[in-house]
Every structure is written in structure tokens, then in C-alpha cells.
Amino acid sequence: MSVQFERVALIGIGLIGSSLAHVMRREKIATHITGYARSEETRKTAVQLGLVDSIHSTAASAVKDADLVILCVPVGACAAIAMEIGGALKPGCIVTDVGSVKAAVVRDVAPHLPAGVHFVPGHPIAGTEQSGPASGFADLFLKRWCILTPLPGGDASAVTRLEKFWHSCGSEVELMTPEHHDLVLAITSHLPHLIAYNTVATAADLEEVTDSEVIKYSAGGFRDFTRIAASDPTMWRDVFLNNREAVLEMLGRFSEDLSALQRAIRWGDGEALFNLFTRAREVRRNIIAAGQETAAPDFGRDPKHR
Ligand code: NAP
């Protein structure tokens, strides 16, 4: 793979930033990677792991002379970062992000970027419940989708260059509007996280069942919820604060469907339950057929750790 960008700036070096550093190194996508992290500890780890060629304690100094700037911070931090870097960006450079919400990032970032800088928002649909600079790995984006939400009237060649970048990281790329992205992700990602957080919180608050029983007898279903609920609290707080409308819309539908299930259980309507469970099973089969999940029992986990 040939060099695509001379200088790439990673603003934020957590799971996503460090994974991008690993894959850029492996695929030789950039000649020089600069990094910004707000904490001394993350800056030290990034250097120790060889993730960056130069490390900066301000975002403005990290983006100097960069051809590609990737914001890898929680969605709620993007406005302040954009305000800080706006005046330091090289004319003609591409600015993108990896935030899990798109319309709010466009609202918060675009006004701070000068004319002549190309802003192409993005979101790799790839992640784990781990966070921090040591959690990244080069294959995180392999065979995953990356959604780009180009702005109307934006530079088409910047979008093409970014598509190529994500293809080199192993991803497939889809373009859509920020609003459509937020609606789709509200049901496929944001709502499941909310349900997981709530399920785990409900279990933790039970008075007749002790905490140790919840842990000792945790069945596969509950353990999967705890895995999702172990995700970074800052990142997820920002997702719900910034995708409020779409999440509330999906939550409304979800609550109605849950009431229907509740009624089916109360009235012993086995047929309704069976039909719904059969439809749900079909969705999982389709996800596996699309190569987005493994068909191995218990998600391919080592039997020793089931
Ligand atoms: P992470 O591992 O927690 O890393 C976050 C990074 O942002 C760290 O370098 C952290 O700095 C920095 N940061 C946090 N708050 C900041 C602030 N207020 N100002 C400046 N820097 C700040 O998070 P991540 O999982 O990489 O997520 C980064 C972005 O990717 C988020 O927008 C998230 O929505 C998106 N995303 C995440 C996933 C996922 O599954 N995790 C998937 C797709 C997209 P310190 O280390 O110095 O504290």
C-alpha cells in the first residue's frame, strides 16, 4: 500500500485512535503520525507503544502541517477541540472524526473550520468495550462498515481520499446523511447500550437477590449485557446527550413493543411470543450471513471462560 497522507494527526488516542495508529503503521498509510492526548499518562503510553512519531499536549500543535486530522475524542469534546484547532489547520487539509453521533458533530465542528479545509464526518462501526491507548489493534476495522456523512457542497475529492483511507484500514464504506446515520445507529447501537446499562443497573439494585448471586449465577444473556455495559461512561453519556431525538423516538417504539410482550406473557399468548422470537432469530441469521458476526456458539468464546 502506498503512502496516502504525509502527515496525519490523531486527536485523542483511545481505543479508536490507537487502532487507527496500528493499522496506519501496518499499511504504511502515513509518513508521520502526530498525536494529541490531554493526559500525560496517555501521551506516555502512546510514545511507549510507538503509536505516534510525535506527541503533543495541545491539539493545535498536533494539527500543524497535517494533511489529515482525525478527531478521536468523545462526541461532547469535539466543539472545544474544533475551536482550538480551527486557526492552526493547513489550508486544503481534510478533517474527519470517528464519533458515534453525526448531526451534533457537524453542528459543533463545522462552524469553527476555515474555508479551504475539507470536513468529512465519519463513523467506523467497529469497537469493543475496552478503552484507552493500550486497547487498540490493527484489525479493529477489518470487514466493518465505516459510514461517511459528507456535507452538501463539500469537496468530492476529499470524500474519495477518505473512502480510500478506510478501505486501506480494511473497512467497507457507505455514504449517508448525518440525520439518517443517527436514526440507524439509534436502533442498532445506542438503544442496545441503554437497555444493557438499565438491565445491569436493575440487577444491581435488586434487594431480594444479592450482588454475589447476580455474579455467581450470571447466565450468558446477563453476561453479554454486562460486557456492553462495561463501555466507556463518558463516551456513552455524550452519545445520549447528542442523539437525543433519535434515541427517544426509538425508545418510544421499543416501549410499545415491550408492552405488547408484557401483555402476551400476562395472557399466556404463546403464539405471539413464539412468532416474535422466530422473527428475531431470523435477524441474527441474516447478520451472520452478512459476515458481521460469528455463528460459533456463545460468540466463539473460549469454553473455559463461558
Ligand atoms: P477512549 O478509548 O475512551 O479514548 C478517548 C480519547 O479521547 C482519549 O485519548 C481521551 O484522553 C480523549 N478525551 C476524552 N475526553 C476528552 C476531552 N474532554 N478533551 C480532550 N480529549 C478527551 O474512546 P474511544 O472508544 O476511542 O472513542 C473515541 C470516539 O470514537 C468517540 O467519539 C466514540 O463515540 C467513537 N467510537 C467509539 C467506538 C467504541 O466502540 N469505543 C466505536 C466507534 C466510534 P485521555 O486518554 O488523555 O483521557
Side-chain angles (χ1 to χ4, degrees), residues 284 293-303 306:
R284 176 156 180 88
E293 178 61 288
T294 171
D298 207 5
F299 308 100
R301 279 187 203 125
D302 182 338
R306 275 183 199 163

Side-chain angles (χ1 to χ4, degrees), residues 12-17 36-39 42 72-75 77 81 98-100 123-124 126-128 130-132 232 235 239:
I13 314 174
L15 170 72
I16 303 294
Y36 154 77
R38 67 180 171 165
S39 74
T42 299
C72 305
V73 293
V75 168
I81 295 277
V98 295
S100 308
H123 177 205
T128 76
Q130 308 291 331
S131 49
D232 186 64
M235 168 187 156
V239 166

Side-chain angles (χ1 to χ4, degrees), residues 33-118:
I33 303 175
T34 75
Y36 154 77
R38 67 180 171 165
S39 74
E40 172 76 37
E41 200 187 337
T42 299
R43 291 197 292 270
K44 247 199 211 147
T45 310
V47 171
Q48 269 163 10
L49 295 176
L51 299 172
V52 291
D53 298 297
S54 59
I55 191 77
H56 300 260
S57 57
T58 69
S61 60
V63 303
K64 193 169 176 294
D65 294 328
D67 307 290
L68 174 64
V69 174
I70 312 177
L71 309 182
C72 305
V73 293
V75 168
C78 286
I81 295 277
M83 211 182 300
E84 183 191 335
I85 64 174
L89 294 165
K90 179 167 124 174
C93 84
I94 299 175
V95 176
T96 187
D97 76 300
V98 295
S100 308
V101 177
K102 294 277 55 82
V105 169
V106 172
R107 176 199 67 202
D108 290 349
V109 172
H112 302 294
L113 304 186
V117 163
H118 310 300

